[in-house]
Amino acid sequence: MSVLVTGGAGYIGSHVVRLLSERGDDVLVVDDLSTGIESRVTGLPIVSLDLAAADAEDRLVAAIEEHSVDSIIHFAAKKQVGESVEEPIMYYRQNIGGLTNVLTAAGRTSIDSLVFSSSAATYGMPDVEMVGEDLDCRPINPYGQTKLIGEWMIDNAITSANIQGKKFNAVKLRYFNVAGAGWPELADTAVMNLIPIVLGRIAAGKAPIIFGDDYDTADGTCIRDYVHVKDLAEAHIAALDYMKSGATSETVFNVGTGTGASVKEVIDAIAEATGREIVPEMGERRAGDPPALVADVSRIGALLSWKAEFDLDEIVRSAVEAAGMLPEG
Ligand SMILES: NC(=O)c1ccc[n+]([C@@H]2O[C@H](COP(=O)([O-])OP(=O)(O)OC[C@H]3O[C@@H](n4cnc5c(N)ncnc54)[C@H](O)[C@@H]3O)[C@@H](O)[C@H]2O)c1
């Protein structure tokens, strides 16, 4: 297989690039390095390109043809919810503009498979705890909206390719809370998710803050589904193989563990892994935080034969190790 990985120098993309390379697939990375780090993909061909730029479609076509690419995994996107509320149109230009160029370039070449990074943010604030793929998607911020529109665009591209008699399949993966590091040098350097935020606060000698401990959950704090980035990376490989086998009865899959962990449980796991006592501060609830959001993973288990291997302690330990915060000795 010859795979173009957009955003391959990013946190999740670089894990997939590493797995693809390890199993002998040819990999071409396209990344504008806006948040990516080039050393994560040292030794591999990389095209430095803003996918939303005016010349991106033509440059993608040239790169795809030069490297005989047959599949694309599309990670490249802006991903900060708060920033997307402040600058929604920039999010549409980057995430929708970038995907438009990827899809038009795929249509002009012999690309037959695409995997798209979608998100649990497409669901918004569901009033059920266990979220299945058939639930109505009602994203509550521009970031989640760009992901849902991206899914629709891909569905339309599949239909259009079918009408034209062209072989083109796509899988949309809705990630839940991605964390940990498969290799320390590929760790998440953005301090935006719970585990990196807590580690950052501890390293700075500050107490982590829990936003709301009066939710209707067992310990009062929000419950989320944390999935190890290496497990998530494996799900992309499974999705590619699923499409190559010709099976595409479903095209959208949750990626999570199917088990929730509360904010307090995550902080306890960090205390255990770092060997430090952590006394969190209590803060007010944040707007738009549902009490519990856990992935129903039955579909991905049944059709892609994928399931998460790492539990919360292993996820946290890998993140703590990558941050150089394991206890000495
Ligand atoms: N990290 C998460 O928890 C999470 C959860 C759900 C979905 N996602 C999605 O997964 C994907 C990857 O996320 P990540 O955590 O690895 O983020 P990241 O910021 O580490 O990676 C994104 C990569 O895309 C590149 N990029 C961004 N815009 C680009 C553009 N216009 N042209 C070319 N390259 C561009 C960046 O330089 C970076 O290397 C994103 O689409 C994100 O929305 C992430």
Side-chain angles (χ1 to χ4, degrees), residues 15-76:
H15 279 84
V16 173
V17 164
R18 184 77 58 102
L19 289 183
L20 287 168
S21 301
E22 279 186 358
R23 76 172 198 168
D25 290 320
D26 291 327
V27 181
L28 170 66
V29 173
V30 171
D31 201 300
D32 68 357
L33 299 177
S34 51
T35 56
I37 303 171
E38 196 166 2
S39 62
R40 286 180 173 145
V41 291
T42 302
L44 291 170
I46 176 164
V47 177
S48 180
L49 170 64
D50 172 3
L51 288 168
D55 63 347
E57 180 188 325
D58 287 342
R59 290 187 58 196
L60 272 175
V61 168
I64 288 167
E65 287 173 348
E66 185 190 340
H67 291 267
S68 305
V69 171
D70 52 70
S71 310
I72 300 179
I73 307 182
H74 181 50
F75 291 102

Short mmCIF file of all heavy atoms in Angstrom, two decimals, residues 15-76:
data_model
loop_
_atom_site.label_atom_id
_atom_site.label_comp_id
_atom_site.label_asym_id
_atom_site.label_seq_id
_atom_site.Cartn_x
_atom_site.Cartn_y
_atom_site.Cartn_z
N HIS A 15 1.81 8.72 14.89
CA HIS A 15 1.69 7.34 15.38
C HIS A 15 1.26 6.40 14.24
O HIS A 15 1.75 5.28 14.12
CB HIS A 15 0.67 7.27 16.53
CG HIS A 15 1.24 7.69 17.85
ND1 HIS A 15 1.32 9.00 18.24
CD2 HIS A 15 1.77 6.96 18.88
CE1 HIS A 15 1.87 9.07 19.45
NE2 HIS A 15 2.15 7.84 19.86
N VAL A 16 0.34 6.88 13.41
CA VAL A 16 -0.11 6.05 12.28
C VAL A 16 1.02 5.88 11.27
O VAL A 16 1.25 4.77 10.75
CB VAL A 16 -1.36 6.68 11.63
CG1 VAL A 16 -1.75 5.94 10.37
CG2 VAL A 16 -2.52 6.69 12.62
N VAL A 17 1.74 6.97 11.01
CA VAL A 17 2.89 6.91 10.09
C VAL A 17 3.88 5.85 10.58
O VAL A 17 4.37 5.03 9.80
CB VAL A 17 3.56 8.30 9.99
CG1 VAL A 17 4.95 8.20 9.37
CG2 VAL A 17 2.68 9.26 9.20
N ARG A 18 4.15 5.85 11.88
CA ARG A 18 5.10 4.89 12.44
C ARG A 18 4.61 3.45 12.24
O ARG A 18 5.35 2.57 11.82
CB ARG A 18 5.29 5.20 13.94
CG ARG A 18 6.29 4.40 14.72
CD ARG A 18 7.74 4.76 14.51
NE ARG A 18 8.17 6.10 14.78
CZ ARG A 18 8.83 6.52 15.87
NH1 ARG A 18 9.12 5.67 16.83
NH2 ARG A 18 9.22 7.78 15.99
N LEU A 19 3.33 3.20 12.51
CA LEU A 19 2.79 1.84 12.35
C LEU A 19 2.80 1.40 10.88
O LEU A 19 3.13 0.25 10.57
CB LEU A 19 1.36 1.76 12.90
CG LEU A 19 1.18 1.84 14.41
CD1 LEU A 19 -0.30 1.66 14.75
CD2 LEU A 19 1.99 0.77 15.13
N LEU A 20 2.42 2.31 9.99
CA LEU A 20 2.41 1.97 8.54
C LEU A 20 3.83 1.63 8.09
O LEU A 20 4.05 0.65 7.36
CB LEU A 20 1.88 3.14 7.72
CG LEU A 20 0.38 3.42 7.78
CD1 LEU A 20 0.06 4.77 7.15
CD2 LEU A 20 -0.42 2.32 7.07
N SER A 21 4.81 2.45 8.51
CA SER A 21 6.20 2.22 8.10
C SER A 21 6.69 0.88 8.65
O SER A 21 7.35 0.12 7.95
CB SER A 21 7.12 3.33 8.62
OG SER A 21 6.71 4.56 8.14
N GLU A 22 6.32 0.59 9.91
CA GLU A 22 6.76 -0.66 10.53
C GLU A 22 6.24 -1.88 9.79
O GLU A 22 6.87 -2.91 9.75
CB GLU A 22 6.30 -0.72 12.00
CG GLU A 22 7.20 0.06 12.93
CD GLU A 22 6.82 -0.11 14.40
OE1 GLU A 22 5.83 -0.82 14.70
OE2 GLU A 22 7.50 0.47 15.22
N ARG A 23 5.03 -1.74 9.21
CA ARG A 23 4.51 -2.93 8.52
C ARG A 23 4.87 -2.94 7.03
O ARG A 23 4.41 -3.79 6.26
CB ARG A 23 3.01 -3.12 8.75
CG ARG A 23 2.11 -2.21 7.98
CD ARG A 23 0.65 -2.64 8.15
NE ARG A 23 -0.20 -2.07 7.12
CZ ARG A 23 -1.44 -2.43 6.88
NH1 ARG A 23 -2.00 -3.38 7.60
NH2 ARG A 23 -2.14 -1.86 5.93
N GLY A 24 5.66 -1.95 6.60
CA GLY A 24 6.23 -2.00 5.25
C GLY A 24 5.46 -1.24 4.19
O GLY A 24 5.76 -1.35 3.00
N ASP A 25 4.44 -0.47 4.60
CA ASP A 25 3.73 0.35 3.61
C ASP A 25 4.58 1.57 3.25
O ASP A 25 5.35 2.08 4.08
CB ASP A 25 2.39 0.83 4.18
CG ASP A 25 1.39 -0.31 4.31
OD1 ASP A 25 1.34 -1.16 3.41
OD2 ASP A 25 0.67 -0.36 5.33
N ASP A 26 4.43 2.07 2.02
CA ASP A 26 5.08 3.33 1.64
C ASP A 26 4.24 4.47 2.20
O ASP A 26 3.01 4.44 2.09
CB ASP A 26 5.15 3.46 0.11
CG ASP A 26 6.12 2.46 -0.47
OD1 ASP A 26 7.12 2.16 0.22
OD2 ASP A 26 5.87 1.95 -1.58
N VAL A 27 4.91 5.47 2.76
CA VAL A 27 4.19 6.58 3.38
C VAL A 27 4.72 7.91 2.83
O VAL A 27 5.93 8.11 2.74
CB VAL A 27 4.37 6.58 4.91
CG1 VAL A 27 3.61 7.74 5.54
CG2 VAL A 27 3.91 5.26 5.52
N LEU A 28 3.79 8.77 2.46
CA LEU A 28 4.12 10.14 2.08
C LEU A 28 3.37 11.07 3.03
O LEU A 28 2.15 10.96 3.18
CB LEU A 28 3.67 10.40 0.63
CG LEU A 28 3.74 11.87 0.16
CD1 LEU A 28 5.19 12.35 0.11
CD2 LEU A 28 3.08 12.01 -1.21
N VAL A 29 4.11 11.97 3.67
CA VAL A 29 3.49 12.90 4.62
C VAL A 29 3.27 14.24 3.93
O VAL A 29 4.14 14.75 3.23
CB VAL A 29 4.40 13.09 5.86
CG1 VAL A 29 3.86 14.19 6.78
CG2 VAL A 29 4.54 11.77 6.62
N VAL A 30 2.07 14.80 4.12
CA VAL A 30 1.80 16.18 3.69
C VAL A 30 1.41 16.95 4.95
O VAL A 30 0.50 16.54 5.67
CB VAL A 30 0.66 16.25 2.65
CG1 VAL A 30 0.26 17.69 2.40
CG2 VAL A 30 1.09 15.59 1.35
N ASP A 31 2.13 18.03 5.22
CA ASP A 31 1.89 18.76 6.47
C ASP A 31 2.42 20.17 6.32
O ASP A 31 3.48 20.38 5.74
CB ASP A 31 2.62 18.03 7.63
CG ASP A 31 2.04 18.37 8.99
OD1 ASP A 31 2.05 19.56 9.36
OD2 ASP A 31 1.59 17.44 9.68
N ASP A 32 1.69 21.14 6.85
CA ASP A 32 2.21 22.52 6.80
C ASP A 32 3.00 22.87 8.05
O ASP A 32 3.47 24.01 8.20
CB ASP A 32 1.08 23.54 6.57
CG ASP A 32 0.12 23.65 7.76
OD1 ASP A 32 0.29 22.90 8.75
OD2 ASP A 32 -0.80 24.48 7.69
N LEU A 33 3.13 21.89 8.95
CA LEU A 33 3.91 22.04 10.18
C LEU A 33 3.40 23.21 11.04
O LEU A 33 4.14 23.77 11.84
CB LEU A 33 5.41 22.19 9.88
CG LEU A 33 6.02 20.98 9.15
CD1 LEU A 33 7.49 21.23 8.82
CD2 LEU A 33 5.90 19.71 10.00
N SER A 34 2.11 23.53 10.92
CA SER A 34 1.55 24.61 11.75
C SER A 34 1.50 24.17 13.21
O SER A 34 1.77 24.96 14.12
CB SER A 34 0.16 25.02 11.26
OG SER A 34 -0.67 23.89 11.12
N THR A 35 1.16 22.93 13.47
CA THR A 35 1.26 22.38 14.83
C THR A 35 2.10 21.10 14.84
O THR A 35 2.39 20.57 15.90
CB THR A 35 -0.13 22.07 15.44
OG1 THR A 35 -0.82 21.18 14.54
CG2 THR A 35 -0.96 23.33 15.63
N GLY A 36 2.44 20.62 13.68
CA GLY A 36 3.21 19.37 13.58
C GLY A 36 4.70 19.59 13.83
O GLY A 36 5.18 20.72 13.81
N ILE A 37 5.41 18.49 14.05
CA ILE A 37 6.84 18.54 14.34
C ILE A 37 7.55 17.61 13.35
O ILE A 37 7.28 16.41 13.32
CB ILE A 37 7.12 18.08 15.80
CG1 ILE A 37 6.33 18.95 16.79
CG2 ILE A 37 8.62 18.13 16.11
CD1 ILE A 37 6.36 18.44 18.22
N GLU A 38 8.46 18.18 12.56
CA GLU A 38 9.06 17.42 11.46
C GLU A 38 9.86 16.21 11.96
O GLU A 38 9.86 15.15 11.33
CB GLU A 38 9.95 18.34 10.62
CG GLU A 38 10.30 17.74 9.27
CD GLU A 38 10.87 18.75 8.29
OE1 GLU A 38 11.04 19.93 8.66
OE2 GLU A 38 11.16 18.34 7.16
N SER A 39 10.50 16.34 13.12
CA SER A 39 11.34 15.23 13.61
C SER A 39 10.52 13.99 13.95
O SER A 39 11.07 12.90 14.12
CB SER A 39 12.13 15.68 14.84
OG SER A 39 11.24 16.01 15.88
N ARG A 40 9.19 14.12 14.04
CA ARG A 40 8.36 12.93 14.30
C ARG A 40 8.35 12.00 13.09
O ARG A 40 7.98 10.83 13.23
CB ARG A 40 6.91 13.34 14.61
CG ARG A 40 6.69 13.95 15.99
CD ARG A 40 5.22 14.30 16.13
NE ARG A 40 4.85 14.75 17.47
CZ ARG A 40 3.93 15.69 17.70
NH1 ARG A 40 3.31 16.27 16.69
NH2 ARG A 40 3.62 16.03 18.93
N VAL A 41 8.71 12.53 11.92
CA VAL A 41 8.64 11.71 10.70
C VAL A 41 9.97 11.73 9.95
O VAL A 41 10.00 11.59 8.73
CB VAL A 41 7.48 12.16 9.78
CG1 VAL A 41 6.15 11.84 10.42
CG2 VAL A 41 7.54 13.65 9.46
N THR A 42 11.05 11.85 10.70
CA THR A 42 12.39 11.88 10.12
C THR A 42 12.61 10.69 9.19
O THR A 42 12.23 9.56 9.53
CB THR A 42 13.45 11.85 11.25
OG1 THR A 42 13.21 12.96 12.09
CG2 THR A 42 14.87 11.93 10.69
N GLY A 43 13.19 10.95 8.03
CA GLY A 43 13.54 9.85 7.11
C GLY A 43 12.45 9.54 6.11
O GLY A 43 12.66 8.75 5.18
N LEU A 44 11.28 10.13 6.28
CA LEU A 44 10.18 9.86 5.34
C LEU A 44 9.97 11.05 4.43
O LEU A 44 10.24 12.20 4.82
CB LEU A 44 8.90 9.58 6.11
CG LEU A 44 8.91 8.26 6.88
CD1 LEU A 44 7.70 8.18 7.81
CD2 LEU A 44 8.92 7.07 5.93
N PRO A 45 9.47 10.82 3.19
CA PRO A 45 9.20 11.96 2.33
C PRO A 45 8.09 12.83 2.91
O PRO A 45 7.09 12.30 3.38
CB PRO A 45 8.77 11.30 1.01
CG PRO A 45 8.40 9.90 1.34
CD PRO A 45 9.16 9.52 2.57
N ILE A 46 8.32 14.14 2.89
CA ILE A 46 7.31 15.06 3.41
C ILE A 46 7.15 16.23 2.45
O ILE A 46 8.14 16.79 1.99
CB ILE A 46 7.65 15.53 4.85
CG1 ILE A 46 6.63 16.57 5.35
CG2 ILE A 46 9.06 16.05 4.98
CD1 ILE A 46 6.66 16.78 6.86
N VAL A 47 5.90 16.53 2.12
CA VAL A 47 5.59 17.69 1.30
C VAL A 47 5.06 18.76 2.23
O VAL A 47 4.08 18.53 2.95
CB VAL A 47 4.53 17.36 0.22
CG1 VAL A 47 4.16 18.60 -0.58
CG2 VAL A 47 5.03 16.25 -0.70
N SER A 48 5.72 19.91 2.24
CA SER A 48 5.28 21.00 3.11
C SER A 48 4.23 21.80 2.36
O SER A 48 4.53 22.47 1.37
CB SER A 48 6.49 21.86 3.46
OG SER A 48 6.07 22.91 4.28
N LEU A 49 2.99 21.69 2.81
CA LEU A 49 1.88 22.27 2.04
C LEU A 49 0.70 22.58 2.95
O LEU A 49 0.28 21.73 3.74
CB LEU A 49 1.45 21.23 0.97
CG LEU A 49 0.17 21.49 0.18
CD1 LEU A 49 0.30 22.74 -0.68
CD2 LEU A 49 -0.14 20.28 -0.71
N ASP A 50 0.16 23.80 2.81
CA ASP A 50 -1.10 24.14 3.48
C ASP A 50 -2.23 23.62 2.59
O ASP A 50 -2.43 24.12 1.47
CB ASP A 50 -1.20 25.66 3.66
CG ASP A 50 -2.57 26.10 4.19
OD1 ASP A 50 -3.42 25.23 4.46
OD2 ASP A 50 -2.78 27.32 4.32
N LEU A 51 -2.96 22.63 3.08
CA LEU A 51 -3.98 21.98 2.25
C LEU A 51 -5.12 22.91 1.86
O LEU A 51 -5.86 22.63 0.93
CB LEU A 51 -4.56 20.77 2.99
CG LEU A 51 -3.62 19.58 3.10
CD1 LEU A 51 -4.16 18.58 4.09
CD2 LEU A 51 -3.44 18.93 1.73
N ALA A 52 -5.25 24.01 2.59
CA ALA A 52 -6.32 24.96 2.26
C ALA A 52 -5.85 26.03 1.26
O ALA A 52 -6.64 26.89 0.87
CB ALA A 52 -6.83 25.63 3.55
N ALA A 53 -4.59 25.97 0.85
CA ALA A 53 -4.05 26.99 -0.06
C ALA A 53 -4.62 26.82 -1.47
O ALA A 53 -5.08 25.73 -1.85
CB ALA A 53 -2.53 26.90 -0.10
N ALA A 54 -4.56 27.89 -2.25
CA ALA A 54 -5.17 27.89 -3.58
C ALA A 54 -4.54 26.84 -4.50
O ALA A 54 -5.24 26.24 -5.34
CB ALA A 54 -5.03 29.28 -4.20
N ASP A 55 -3.24 26.59 -4.35
CA ASP A 55 -2.57 25.64 -5.26
C ASP A 55 -2.52 24.21 -4.69
O ASP A 55 -1.86 23.34 -5.24
CB ASP A 55 -1.15 26.13 -5.59
CG ASP A 55 -0.27 26.20 -4.33
OD1 ASP A 55 -0.82 26.11 -3.20
OD2 ASP A 55 0.96 26.32 -4.48
N ALA A 56 -3.21 23.99 -3.56
CA ALA A 56 -3.05 22.70 -2.87
C ALA A 56 -3.56 21.52 -3.70
O ALA A 56 -2.93 20.46 -3.72
CB ALA A 56 -3.77 22.74 -1.52
N GLU A 57 -4.69 21.70 -4.40
CA GLU A 57 -5.24 20.57 -5.15
C GLU A 57 -4.23 20.07 -6.20
O GLU A 57 -3.94 18.88 -6.28
CB GLU A 57 -6.55 20.98 -5.83
CG GLU A 57 -7.16 19.84 -6.63
CD GLU A 57 -8.37 20.29 -7.45
OE1 GLU A 57 -9.13 21.16 -7.02
OE2 GLU A 57 -8.53 19.74 -8.57
N ASP A 58 -3.68 21.01 -6.98
CA ASP A 58 -2.73 20.61 -8.03
C ASP A 58 -1.47 19.99 -7.43
O ASP A 58 -0.94 19.00 -7.94
CB ASP A 58 -2.35 21.81 -8.89
CG ASP A 58 -3.48 22.22 -9.83
OD1 ASP A 58 -4.40 21.39 -10.04
OD2 ASP A 58 -3.47 23.36 -10.32
N ARG A 59 -0.99 20.57 -6.33
CA ARG A 59 0.23 20.03 -5.71
C ARG A 59 -0.03 18.65 -5.12
O ARG A 59 0.84 17.77 -5.15
CB ARG A 59 0.76 21.00 -4.67
CG ARG A 59 1.34 22.27 -5.33
CD ARG A 59 2.03 23.16 -4.34
NE ARG A 59 3.10 22.50 -3.62
CZ ARG A 59 3.66 22.97 -2.50
NH1 ARG A 59 3.22 24.11 -1.99
NH2 ARG A 59 4.63 22.31 -1.91
N LEU A 60 -1.23 18.43 -4.60
CA LEU A 60 -1.58 17.10 -4.08
C LEU A 60 -1.62 16.07 -5.21
O LEU A 60 -1.09 14.96 -5.08
CB LEU A 60 -2.95 17.14 -3.40
CG LEU A 60 -3.01 17.50 -1.93
CD1 LEU A 60 -4.46 17.60 -1.48
CD2 LEU A 60 -2.26 16.46 -1.08
N VAL A 61 -2.25 16.46 -6.32
CA VAL A 61 -2.32 15.54 -7.47
C VAL A 61 -0.92 15.16 -7.92
O VAL A 61 -0.62 13.97 -8.13
CB VAL A 61 -3.11 16.19 -8.64
CG1 VAL A 61 -2.96 15.38 -9.92
CG2 VAL A 61 -4.60 16.32 -8.26
N ALA A 62 -0.02 16.14 -8.00
CA ALA A 62 1.35 15.86 -8.44
C ALA A 62 2.04 14.90 -7.46
O ALA A 62 2.70 13.94 -7.88
CB ALA A 62 2.13 17.18 -8.55
N ALA A 63 1.86 15.15 -6.16
CA ALA A 63 2.51 14.30 -5.15
C ALA A 63 1.94 12.88 -5.17
O ALA A 63 2.67 11.90 -5.06
CB ALA A 63 2.32 14.93 -3.76
N ILE A 64 0.62 12.78 -5.34
CA ILE A 64 -0.04 11.45 -5.37
C ILE A 64 0.48 10.66 -6.57
O ILE A 64 0.80 9.46 -6.46
CB ILE A 64 -1.58 11.63 -5.45
CG1 ILE A 64 -2.12 12.14 -4.11
CG2 ILE A 64 -2.27 10.33 -5.86
CD1 ILE A 64 -3.57 12.65 -4.14
N GLU A 65 0.58 11.34 -7.72
CA GLU A 65 1.04 10.63 -8.93
C GLU A 65 2.52 10.25 -8.81
O GLU A 65 2.92 9.14 -9.12
CB GLU A 65 0.76 11.48 -10.17
CG GLU A 65 -0.75 11.46 -10.47
CD GLU A 65 -1.18 12.40 -11.58
OE1 GLU A 65 -0.37 13.26 -11.99
OE2 GLU A 65 -2.35 12.26 -12.02
N GLU A 66 3.32 11.18 -8.30
CA GLU A 66 4.77 10.91 -8.19
C GLU A 66 5.03 9.71 -7.28
O GLU A 66 5.91 8.90 -7.55
CB GLU A 66 5.49 12.16 -7.65
CG GLU A 66 7.00 11.99 -7.62
CD GLU A 66 7.71 13.12 -6.85
OE1 GLU A 66 7.10 14.20 -6.68
OE2 GLU A 66 8.84 12.87 -6.41
N HIS A 67 4.24 9.56 -6.21
CA HIS A 67 4.50 8.49 -5.23
C HIS A 67 3.55 7.30 -5.41
O HIS A 67 3.50 6.42 -4.56
CB HIS A 67 4.39 9.04 -3.81
CG HIS A 67 5.50 10.00 -3.47
ND1 HIS A 67 6.67 9.61 -2.85
CD2 HIS A 67 5.63 11.32 -3.71
CE1 HIS A 67 7.46 10.66 -2.70
NE2 HIS A 67 6.85 11.71 -3.21
N SER A 68 2.79 7.28 -6.51
CA SER A 68 1.83 6.18 -6.78
C SER A 68 0.96 5.87 -5.56
O SER A 68 0.80 4.70 -5.17
CB SER A 68 2.57 4.92 -7.23
OG SER A 68 3.38 5.19 -8.33
N VAL A 69 0.43 6.92 -4.96
CA VAL A 69 -0.37 6.74 -3.74
C VAL A 69 -1.73 6.14 -4.09
O VAL A 69 -2.36 6.53 -5.08
CB VAL A 69 -0.58 8.13 -3.06
CG1 VAL A 69 -1.58 8.03 -1.92
CG2 VAL A 69 0.75 8.68 -2.58
N ASP A 70 -2.20 5.16 -3.27
CA ASP A 70 -3.55 4.61 -3.51
C ASP A 70 -4.52 4.93 -2.38
O ASP A 70 -5.73 4.76 -2.55
CB ASP A 70 -3.47 3.08 -3.74
CG ASP A 70 -2.72 2.37 -2.64
OD1 ASP A 70 -3.24 2.29 -1.52
OD2 ASP A 70 -1.59 1.88 -2.91
N SER A 71 -4.01 5.39 -1.22
CA SER A 71 -4.90 5.64 -0.07
C SER A 71 -4.49 6.92 0.64
O SER A 71 -3.30 7.27 0.65
CB SER A 71 -4.79 4.51 0.96
OG SER A 71 -4.93 3.26 0.35
N ILE A 72 -5.49 7.57 1.25
CA ILE A 72 -5.20 8.78 2.02
C ILE A 72 -5.76 8.63 3.44
O ILE A 72 -6.88 8.14 3.61
CB ILE A 72 -5.85 10.03 1.37
CG1 ILE A 72 -5.31 10.24 -0.05
CG2 ILE A 72 -5.62 11.28 2.22
CD1 ILE A 72 -5.92 11.44 -0.78
N ILE A 73 -4.96 9.03 4.42
CA ILE A 73 -5.50 9.20 5.77
C ILE A 73 -5.42 10.70 6.07
O ILE A 73 -4.33 11.27 6.05
CB ILE A 73 -4.73 8.39 6.83
CG1 ILE A 73 -4.64 6.91 6.40
CG2 ILE A 73 -5.42 8.50 8.19
CD1 ILE A 73 -3.93 6.01 7.40
N HIS A 74 -6.58 11.30 6.30
CA HIS A 74 -6.63 12.76 6.40
C HIS A 74 -6.80 13.22 7.85
O HIS A 74 -7.90 13.23 8.39
CB HIS A 74 -7.81 13.28 5.55
CG HIS A 74 -7.94 14.76 5.56
ND1 HIS A 74 -6.88 15.62 5.31
CD2 HIS A 74 -9.00 15.57 5.80
CE1 HIS A 74 -7.30 16.87 5.39
NE2 HIS A 74 -8.58 16.88 5.69
N PHE A 75 -5.66 13.60 8.45
CA PHE A 75 -5.66 14.12 9.82
C PHE A 75 -5.64 15.65 9.85
O PHE A 75 -6.10 16.24 10.82
CB PHE A 75 -4.40 13.67 10.58
CG PHE A 75 -4.34 12.21 10.88
CD1 PHE A 75 -3.56 11.36 10.11
CD2 PHE A 75 -5.05 11.68 11.93
CE1 PHE A 75 -3.49 10.01 10.38
CE2 PHE A 75 -4.99 10.33 12.22
CZ PHE A 75 -4.20 9.49 11.44
N ALA A 76 -5.02 16.27 8.84
CA ALA A 76 -4.69 17.69 8.92
C ALA A 76 -5.93 18.53 9.18
O ALA A 76 -6.86 18.55 8.37
CB ALA A 76 -4.02 18.14 7.63
#
